[in-house]
Amino acid sequence: MLVMKNLGILLSGRGSNFVAIADNIDAGRIPGGRIAIVISNRSDAPGIETARQRGLQALVIPSKGKERQTHDREVVAALKENKVDLICLAGYMRLLSPWFVRQFPQRILNIHPSLLPAFPGLEAQQQAFAYGVKVSGCTVHLVDEELDHGAIIVQKTVPVLDTDDEHTLAERILEREHIAYTEAIKIVLDGEFEIVGRRLVKAQRSEVRLQK
Ligand code: GAR
């Protein structure tokens, strides 16, 4: 029997990564995954309206004017109430407090529009374009206590064309993001991995290990 895992999506804006995940779940491409709740820290995030229209549980927990820890506690309470197993940050423009991260060890994913560790932080596509890189892309990684830093699950490359500007580059990266996030969720839900140093690798079964 397939054990269902509850996903919690956190977003702050447009929500195209959330929509790609939701579409892939609906199409049966993330077996065992279902979206239990979508949370936004901004009431005007288009993604939260989309979540409502799709009939998903959608919650706004405003962050403005609140201490990080206070806001994080409210978000964590909502995630726990909804028995969330895996949290997907999908354009969630808030740094999680160390306390938040410790509540869900190795169960928080983030997507970032660059090949980390290059260009962490805001406007990564513009940073990469201005730097003049010939290849950029996106990264889905586990979230740890540092910004854009945890173990890498999936990366996709995108060539930078001479005809690109920062917008066309960002658009092509976004297309790859929508594929990368689902791949990463499947890897984590399968659970057949281990973290060796910073490296996420396929788990070695004990009989395979013994043969070595
Ligand atoms: C995406 O490009 C995502 O990689 C980026 O925000 C955008 C959200 O788009 N996230 C970060 O830069 C996090 N450091 P979306 O709302 O359409 O999914």
Side-chain angles (χ1 to χ4, degrees):
M1 196 186 73
L2 190 61
V3 181
M4 294 304 283
K5 295 283 186 187
N6 287 329
L7 307 190
I9 309 276
L10 302 191
L11 54 78
S12 303
R14 178 178 56 183
S16 73
N17 275 288
F18 147 61
V19 168
I21 294 166
D23 284 348
N24 283 332
I25 287 176
D26 290 351
R29 287 192 282 263
I30 307 181
R34 70 166 162 233
I35 295 176
I37 187 163
V38 181
I39 300 175
S40 173
N41 63 312
R42 297 181 57 120
S43 58
D44 59 353
I48 205 76
E49 184 50 37
T50 310
R52 282 194 200 105
Q53 283 166 7
R54 292 182 80 114
L56 293 166
Q57 192 183 177
L59 194 61
V60 175
I61 304 181
S63 54
K64 208 169 176 187
K66 276 183 204 154
E67 296 227 342
R68 186 175 309 280
Q69 185 92 342
T70 309
H71 181 253
D72 279 4
R73 282 187 187 279
E74 292 174 15
V75 174
V76 165
L79 293 167
K80 288 190 173 172
E81 239 166 65
N82 285 277
K83 302 198 177 349
V84 165
D85 301 297
L86 185 68
I87 298 161
C88 300
L89 307 185
Y92 187 60
M93 295 313 195
R94 301 263 307 161
L95 193 59
L96 304 186
S97 62
W99 174 82
F100 188 140
V101 175
R102 284 198 297 272
Q103 303 307 301
F104 299 94
Q106 294 191 2
R107 286 191 290 143
I108 310 176
L109 311 188
N110 181 43
I111 187 151
H112 185 74
S114 76
L115 294 175
L116 289 171
F119 311 117
L122 293 176
E123 302 190 339
Q125 309 95 324
Q126 288 86 333
Q127 289 185 56
F129 184 78
Y131 196 92
V133 297
K134 297 296 182 195
V135 179
S136 191
C138 62
T139 304
V140 185
H141 63 93
L142 291 171
V143 171
D144 66 11
E145 296 180 10
E146 290 176 50
L147 177 70
D148 298 330
H149 180 265
I152 291 169
I153 308 166
V154 170
Q155 288 188 306
K156 301 270 179 212
T157 58
V158 174
V160 182
L161 309 176
D162 289 350
T163 49
D164 266 332
D165 59 29
E166 55 192 44
H167 304 291
T168 55
L169 176 62
E171 272 168 29
R172 292 208 316 289
I173 292 174
L174 192 63
E175 283 171 19
R176 304 296 282 161
E177 290 184 43
H178 295 162
I179 298 164
Y181 220 150
T182 286
E183 281 184 22
I185 291 169
K186 282 169 65 177
I187 289 169
V188 174
L189 289 186
D190 283 350
E192 299 285 315
F193 67 89
E194 54 193 8
I195 308 288
V196 182
R198 277 197 50 88
R199 301 181 61 234
L200 183 143
V201 292
K202 207 168 162 45
Q204 303 265 304
R205 282 179 293 122
S206 52
E207 61 268 32
V208 177
R209 254 194 223 136
L210 286 174
Q211 284 166 12
K212 287 194 171 167

